[in-house]
Amino acid sequence: MDSLMHFHTDEGFFKRYEKLVIDIVIPYQEKALRDEIEGAEKSHAITNFEMAAQMLESGHCGGEFYGMVFQDSDVAKWLEAVSYSLRIKPDEALSRRADDIISLIGRAQHKDGYLNTYFTVKEPDKRWTNLEEAHELYCAGHMIEAAVAYAACTGKTELLDIMCKMADHMYQHFTCDDTPGFPGHPEVELALIRLYDYTGDSKYLELSKHFIDARGTDFFVQEAERYPWKVWGRNGNNREYAQTTAPVREQTDAVGHAVRAVYLYCGMADVAKATGDASLHNACKTLWNSIVQRRMYLTGAIGSAYEGEAFTKDYHLPSDTAYAETCASIGLIFFAKRMLSLEKRNEYADIMERALYNTVLAGMQLDGKRFFYVNPLEALPGISGEAVTHRHALPQRPTWFACACCPPNVARLLTSIGAYAWSVEENMVYSHLFISGKFAMNDVLGGTISLQTTYPKGNQIHYQFAPVSTAMNLTLAVRLPAWSDSTSITRNGNPAEYEVANGYAYLQGSFTDQDDIVVTLDMSAKRVYSSMKVSANSGKVAFMRGPLVYCAEGNDNADNVIDLVIDQHSPVTEHPEIEHDGMPTLSVGGWHMHDNGKLYSFDSPTSMPCDITLIPYYTWGNRGLHSMRVWMPQT
Amino acid sequence: MDSLMHFHTDEGFFKRYEKLVIDIVIPYQEKALRDEIEGAEKSHAITNFEMAAQMLESGHCGGEFYGMVFQDSDVAKWLEAVSYSLRIKPDEALSRRADDIISLIGRAQHKDGYLNTYFTVKEPDKRWTNLEEAHELYCAGHMIEAAVAYAACTGKTELLDIMCKMADHMYQHFTCDDTPGFPGHPEVELALIRLYDYTGDSKYLELSKHFIDARGTDFFVQEAERYPWKVWGRNGNNREYAQTTAPVREQTDAVGHAVRAVYLYCGMADVAKATGDASLHNACKTLWNSIVQRRMYLTGAIGSAYEGEAFTKDYHLPSDTAYAETCASIGLIFFAKRMLSLEKRNEYADIMERALYNTVLAGMQLDGKRFFYVNPLEALPGISGEAVTHRHALPQRPTWFACACCPPNVARLLTSIGAYAWSVEENMVYSHLFISGKFAMNDVLGGTISLQTTYPKGNQIHYQFAPVSTAMNLTLAVRLPAWSDSTSITRNGNPAEYEVANGYAYLQGSFTDQDDIVVTLDMSAKRVYSSMKVSANSGKVAFMRGPLVYCAEGNDNADNVIDLVIDQHSPVTEHPEIEHDGMPTLSVGGWHMHDNGKLYSFDSPTSMPCDITLIPYYTWGNRGLHSMRVWMPQT
């Protein structure tokens, strides 16, 4: 059962984001795809499809392919977000325009099912000869995801038919014809499982498993020797970059391009789930632990280096030069959701929430109009975005990028949040994320569960029930976040009966419309410490309140946060009356340190006591160019 | 007067280094240049000269040029070090081999004076057409320095004649023929001034000034358009890299490749001195301040980024990813010496000393057999030298490199230390660095001053006098290091009479062989703090004793220094009985912090009190692979 289709948000924290995406982000992206935004770098993505269609219809086209080799995927991600958007808020005109684009995509498809405008327009003879760089399987994957989403959300199957034909073509090429290979950028693996789940056609599971199992050879070296053409400069020798160091079941460290890594792990978890493959599940657990125990930022961000947009080494987590790509945290959320489907442990949902409420939300300006790709934990005006080592780590969100991967990824995630918030297994209804809305049961369980909360501002979550008949017989399993020191659950004012396993409270019962389950979390603001092995954080402390990481920003702190030192004895105070995007501001005692103006001095700096103001990390950079810091020295 | 020629070290701290260079480094380098070291990457530098000679003599040669475009400069730097070495310790066999190489160089010189094996062997038609990348002027500069040194130290002028002919050729090409251009890698500017100083021929001053004045246009862009051949990938557009953003007198920030920058500033200071050009002197002061007030590490290292081996932005001084090249600090010492010749201020000599005793000495293994190019202030085994951001920052000194710039630069500096320790202007004798040895006066002043000290271990410096007749009438000007809180000077046990100006004590008098001037410095170990603007150091402290920066290394600290926190109330204790290269070990109270094993935790770490052992930074990395840290959190 796809929980996405059963959930509708109510007014609350996420509703605002959903609206932003539907009203601002998706329309803006459509204009970008159509090259209708003045001053923005050309996308050409729709035009590429038009030219591919012309090419197939007339044998020539009046222009050249333009954009990244994976430009098609921008259209795919937009169509996926549009699917979710149309489910939430029907829009005739948008629906018609999406249908037109889908027709155009159909016209750009070869008779044998092949679909990719780069190859159709620019390199017609080079299909499937540069899997390392050319992103054909990646683009196919995103379009498959869009196809499944569009069919599920609108009931229209034109795009699904197109992509089944493409998937059949890939199945023929890679399994029947026994052509060796696997994608340089994983994505098709998880997409094929979505297609398998939706259509039930086991070919797609088989093909996904094929790509997973094929990985880990020096195929890219052989491919580069056999077909020595390049998109950028491939040679197959950077085996960490695309996670081909070893067969996937033998991989132990999360390495290489962080988005590729987590997309791959998603496919692995999917196949493990679909086939019951324990060795694959174990590999997923090992790689999950590699990430969350040694290679993840406090904000749920991943990727410590700009070069390769990649994981680096254990405990190397620099704050100011982090890559910490928005898309990588989205991929980590995808991975967490799949680990959760394999095994219910609050750890998976806790990380999903951490990445969502911190890195993913930070990726978008509060007005939905600008985006961070890179989400550093420290911003230094004059250095961030300017020093050669910090060119990627901008201190303010820029407008649309030439490589438009993150904004459409944010859009599709935020419009499909129900898929992450809830899941159902037989008569177990799992509530993973606390997002106000109504979750409709399947026909067996019947009725609807309503979740109401002001979370992550408030600490109470209400569950109410609207059974089809008199009562809903089920087990409501509520995540107990590990950050909550004490979580109480009441049923109609009295302590509820429940069992706890792996961080979930299981409330078994018959629930009527008179029932009110209230979960009360301990969301008091707290200090967080990092492992002593993280050199960037030694002697430092950070702050969290519930799932939200906080930071100090120059605006609130005499325009300088780099000179702040936290007083270890000072309590952290909440100021609900001073809101940032509705969340309470925090304050803690400390000092601004003053030096004597010299670069190095034997004079110890003087200290000026002050109240240090902290705001939710995800709201940083919304008030102009200022310094920002998550980890601060404490004395 | 060239103070180098008048100084001989006595037994003491530097004598050991001089011996190491003469007995270990120079012979090893000769073998490397001759490709006689098994397992080491081929140099081919001597062979390149042989092939160039064959080419000129027979019109063809039996091989190909091999190595960097600047491979000739390895031979030049070695010959310069050999010159100084022969002055210190005559060696018939070495002298004969050097003469043979010089003859070979002469045979590789074109009739018109041109000398460069890369162009003679590999690109005979491309002379002077890629000044941006091809290092012709750079190689000429180093060979001119070698020629002057060889002539001064051995009295033999064959190489000097060769290089005068080459300099005359350059003068003809760039000034008489009015060919536009200036070097991509500065060096020839300062070398031409050395040639001018030695020969008195004003053409060489004129040519040096010509290159300085020509700099700061978009010449490299025009050159790349006109002659579009490349060594690496030039296009003239990275104007910061080679300091061509503006005419030199208008440059205000030290930018680009750090070695190129300081070599350029040396040439500027030389020309300012030789011509009395106040605007050029002012530009030097501005650029000096840019470095030492905002862009220099505590160790006197410069260059914050691997990319471009370059300066970055003000106050960006990361410890673990520093480039901090040994050669750049050598260049900073060259620059400081020249600033000192323009104006006597202890600041210049203090920085010279800081760079020398910390970065330059750290560049060489204590046994003289291995070298650091990059001198980070923090080493993290598992990350340093391994993470993609840290590949350059090795945690242990490797053996000989393919690009052999630093070891020969260390060799020529350490064998010519007298040139930096002393200077004379009329009857003023300046003692800048406290290095045991005898400084012979010129004929006018007569006699010899002997400096005896165990510095930088001991804090007393004795000056004694050996007049030619009964007394030496002069002013002894002794640097008062800014790091010494109280410096006393006695003459025969009584307070000496002296005046202080700009950090120098001027002792005017008639000195006999009965006189004993004793300078006593305050060398107590102290905490050092950095500007609050240096984000990498916030909340942290470092330690110095006299000119030496100290660090904590794993060996002495339970194999982990990243978990150490300094107790701000603990005094720093000296342990003269526990020596590192003869220097006292320091200790200070603090704690090893222990976490609960999690990457992030709400549990504050526990602390285990400990004595933290500190060793001189320049001795780090001599005892295997361990963590190392200069800046440590303090609470």
Side-chain angles (χ1 to χ4, degrees), chain A residues 156-191:
Chain A
K156 299 181 195 169
T157 58
E158 185 179 355
L159 188 58
L160 187 70
D161 295 340
I162 293 167
M163 293 318 295
C164 282
K165 215 171 139 191
M166 171 63 165
D168 294 344
H169 169 81
M170 295 190 290
Y171 181 82
Q172 177 68 35
H173 183 75
F174 288 101
T175 67
C176 306
D177 299 348
D178 211 16
T179 316
F182 48 84
H185 194 317
E187 154 66 25
V188 75
E189 300 89 338
L190 73 89

Side-chain angles (χ1 to χ4, degrees), chain A residues 296-298 307 313 316 380 382 388-390 529-532 535 538 593 595 599-601 604 629 635, chain B residues 296-298 307 313 316 380 382 388-390 529-532 535 538 593 595 599-601 604 629 635:
Chain A
M296 182 186 73
Y297 287 92
L298 181 63
E307 192 180 328
K313 297 287 172 183
H316 176 231
L380 305 163
V388 66
T389 44
H390 292 65
Y529 302 89
S530 90
S531 162
M532 292 303 118
S535 67
S538 58
M593 305 302 287
D595 57 51
L599 183 54
Y600 303 112
S601 172
S604 66
R629 188 170 242 190
T635 188
Chain B
M296 181 187 73
Y297 287 92
L298 182 63
E307 192 180 329
K313 296 287 172 184
H316 176 233
L380 306 163
V388 66
T389 43
H390 291 66
Y529 302 89
S530 90
S531 162
M532 294 302 119
S535 66
S538 59
M593 305 302 288
D595 57 50
L599 184 54
Y600 303 112
S601 171
S604 65
R629 189 169 242 190
T635 188

